[in-house]
Amino acid sequence: MSISRRRFMQHVGLLSLSIPHVALSKTANKETPLHAQSPGFTTEPYLQSLTSSSVSIQVLTRTNSYTWVEFGEQKIDQSHFESRHGLKVANCRYFNFKLYNLKPDTLYQYRIHTKPIQKLAGYEVLYGEEMVSETYSFRTLPQQKESCNVILFNDIHDRNGSFKTLWQVRNQQTTDLVVFNGDMFNQIKDENQLVENFLLPINELFSTRTPFVFNRGNHETRGLFARELDKYFDYPNQKTYQAFQLGPIFWIFLDSGEDKFDSSKEYFGLADFDRLRLEQRDWLLEIVKTPAFKRAKFRAVAIHMPPLYSKDWHGPTHCHELFVPIFNKHKIDIVYSGHNHKAEFIAPNDDHKFALFIGGGPKEGQRTILDVQANSKSLHSQLISENGQVIKSWTIKA
């Protein structure tokens, strides 16, 4: 592929001698080196919140810029920018482009344009050279989706090579959604760490074409950059919890917060997770009243800390007190968790009427992936080790 004055390939391995790499963060995992990217973009774009008629495209540029997306079906013939209060979003580095009124079950192509802003004054704006990403694609969901395939990761803890190892455990051609169910990091210190240990590895695997949910774990609440993390993801209503229908499954994503008391010395008086969990309890009581929840074939919850079988730590205990009675009363079928660093499955019993999968830990030999496949007749879950062995499978009939 040729590179003109205004167009650059997103992957620029051939140009790596002339384009400097971003400096490695001290938190970068040495397993996988930082990837070279084009001059205009820190990462490739990544998808969130894909439906039959809409998608969110996240973009992170190298410098403050004016950035927009072009897209189309057979050819790229539409453009979209974001604006607020009469002003186009500009002079920043992260962008969330929300495309609406798309056609169901349709393949779209897209690419990103960016112009660095060198000066922004009342009557003077100076742009740098316009740059364009390579072309990517995604397919919107069918209007009536009868089945779905979801993959869940947990507890990667800055081992960025684990994403590829686990991704290759099974054929991912049919994956509709990827869920990162907490503790992708040990703590979150800076943007370089987010890029090197998360965004770049998943760019290579799927995130330009397949959407994901970033479901926060307790380690994502720690570190200098923890309060900036939500800017990089499309959280509905600016909340770290959400719910939506995908095929026959109604999904609920809960933020379990920290594992210790808010008053614990480790948080230096800055934690308020009890209130966050209470807020989610009240929200959940409204969600279970919705028609979509009630008519769903299956109901699943993803929550980082297991609300059961997680010893007597305050966070999981509080989750148990607030959420498990609702799960039992309103017929949650299954819960997917991590946190314990030990792969486990607990069948429904008198105390909890739902099945519980707990993914493995971050170290080699402990790593697992959860594979969830559902259609109108059944929901089938498999806890799979890094070497492809099925540790436990569980099928729920409609």
Side-chain angles (χ1 to χ4, degrees):
M1 297 175 64
S2 62
I3 302 178
S4 67
R5 180 174 175 81
R6 295 182 60 200
R7 184 175 296 275
F8 291 81
M9 286 178 60
Q10 187 72 15
H11 291 293
V12 289
L14 294 176
L15 301 181
S16 59
L17 294 177
S18 60
I19 296 174
H21 291 32
V22 175
L24 284 172
S25 165
K26 293 179 181 179
T27 56
N29 191 314
K30 295 181 180 179
E31 291 180 38
T32 305
L34 180 64
H35 302 52
Q37 298 295 319
S38 79
F41 305 97
T42 303
T43 72
E44 295 178 279
Y46 49 100
L47 304 183
Q48 315 260 272
S49 306
L50 179 68
T51 73
S52 61
S53 61
S54 63
V55 70
S56 173
I57 302 175
Q58 308 289 125
V59 175
L60 181 60
T61 59
R62 283 191 181 275
T63 61
N64 282 7
S65 64
Y66 168 52
T67 298
W68 67 100
V69 59
E70 292 185 339
F71 66 101
E73 298 173 56
Q74 301 301 319
K75 61 179 180 178
I76 294 178
D77 56 3
Q78 301 178 66
S79 64
H80 175 81
F81 54 82
E82 293 290 331
S83 66
R84 285 196 290 269
H85 314 303
L87 294 170
K88 291 183 179 180
V89 174
N91 202 35
C92 60
R93 295 182 51 245
Y94 34 80
F95 297 84
N96 180 353
F97 299 109
K98 295 182 182 295
L99 306 185
Y100 296 105
N101 301 315
L102 304 178
K103 296 179 182 178
D105 198 14
T106 300
L107 183 67
Y108 283 89
Q109 301 177 72
Y110 71 99
R111 59 179 174 240
I112 311 300
H113 291 246
T114 187
K115 291 198 297 186
I117 293 180
Q118 298 176 343
K119 182 178 182 180
L120 180 60
Y123 298 98
E124 185 180 11
V125 177
L126 294 179
Y127 291 111
E129 186 175 49
E130 181 178 330
M131 289 164 277
V132 187
S133 75
E134 70 171 283
T135 299
Y136 307 98
S137 65
F138 64 87
R139 181 176 289 277
T140 52
L141 299 178
Q143 204 151 26
Q144 298 294 328
K145 187 167 174 56
E146 301 298 329
S147 63
C148 68
N149 182 198
V150 178
I151 300 296
L152 295 95
F153 290 83
N154 66 276
D155 295 278
I156 298 298
H157 286 280
D158 281 308
R159 291 166 169 84
N160 59 9
S162 294
F163 292 112
K164 187 173 183 179
T165 297
L166 293 169
W167 186 257
Q168 294 174 339
V169 161
R170 62 173 297 282
N171 183 348
Q172 300 288 357
Q173 296 302 311
T174 60
T175 303
D176 296 301
L177 176 70
V178 178
V179 176
F180 296 102
N181 202 15
D183 286 8
M184 299 301 106
F185 309 96
N186 289 319
Q187 57 174 297
I188 186 72
K189 297 180 180 180
D190 55 33
E191 185 183 276
N192 276 349
Q193 181 187 7
L194 172 66
V195 169
E196 295 158 11
N197 286 0
F198 182 68
L199 293 176
L200 288 178
I202 68 170
N203 270 164
E204 281 201 342
L205 296 173
F206 69 87
S207 62
T208 63
R209 64 184 184 276
T210 302
F212 67 86
V213 169
F214 190 92
N215 203 36
R216 191 171 67 161
N218 58 305
H219 279 262
E220 274 88 39
T221 70
R222 304 173 186 176
L224 178 65
F225 209 64
R227 288 165 177 79
E228 308 299 319
L229 196 60
D230 61 333
K231 297 176 182 176
Y232 295 81
F233 305 109
D234 183 40
Y235 285 119
N237 303 315
Q238 286 72 57
K239 302 291 186 181
T240 55
Y241 51 90
Q242 58 185 299
F244 56 80
Q245 181 92 26
L246 180 61
I249 304 178
F250 190 93
W251 284 92
I252 296 169
F253 299 90
L254 295 174
D255 184 343
S256 51
E258 263 291 7
D259 52 6
K260 293 175 278 292
F261 286 96
D262 287 345
S263 57
S264 295
K265 62 181 181 180
E266 289 85 355
Y267 308 143
F268 298 92
L270 298 177
D272 192 22
F273 294 105
D274 280 356
R275 181 159 63 170
L276 174 64
R277 288 184 286 260
L278 286 165
E279 176 185 309
Q280 290 177 89
R281 188 260 328 259
D282 295 343
W283 168 83
L284 187 57
L285 287 170
E286 295 304 312
I287 288 294
V288 298
K289 298 176 184 177
T290 61
F293 177 89
K294 291 180 178 180
R295 65 172 176 255
K297 293 280 186 180
F298 305 103
R299 305 171 185 91
V301 171
I303 180 172
H304 175 67
M305 293 192 299
L308 300 148
Y309 306 101
S310 195
K311 299 183 180 179
D312 58 353
W313 290 87
H314 170 68
T317 299
H318 199 211
C319 288
H320 178 273
E321 294 170 355
L322 296 178
F323 302 143
V324 169
I326 301 174
F327 295 170
N328 283 338
K329 181 177 179 180
H330 295 279
K331 300 180 180 179
I332 294 296
D333 294 296
I334 196 159
V335 173
Y336 302 104
S337 293
H339 186 65
N340 291 354
H341 293 190
K342 180 182 177 182
E344 196 170 359
F345 171 78
I346 301 97
N349 58 35
D350 291 339
D351 294 326
H352 57 93
K353 299 177 182 179
F354 51 89
L356 173 63
F357 274 98
I358 303 174
K363 295 180 180 179
E364 187 174 345
Q366 297 178 342
R367 298 175 294 185
T368 62
I369 195 168
L370 272 158
D371 176 35
V372 179
Q373 301 187 45
N375 55 36
S376 60
K377 296 181 180 179
S378 65
L379 187 159
H380 184 62
S381 304
Q382 293 187 105
L383 182 60
I384 307 173
S385 72
E386 62 192 271
N387 61 14
Q389 178 186 1
V390 177
I391 298 170
K392 180 64 181 181
S393 62
W394 183 258
T395 300
I396 301 168
K397 299 292 185 181

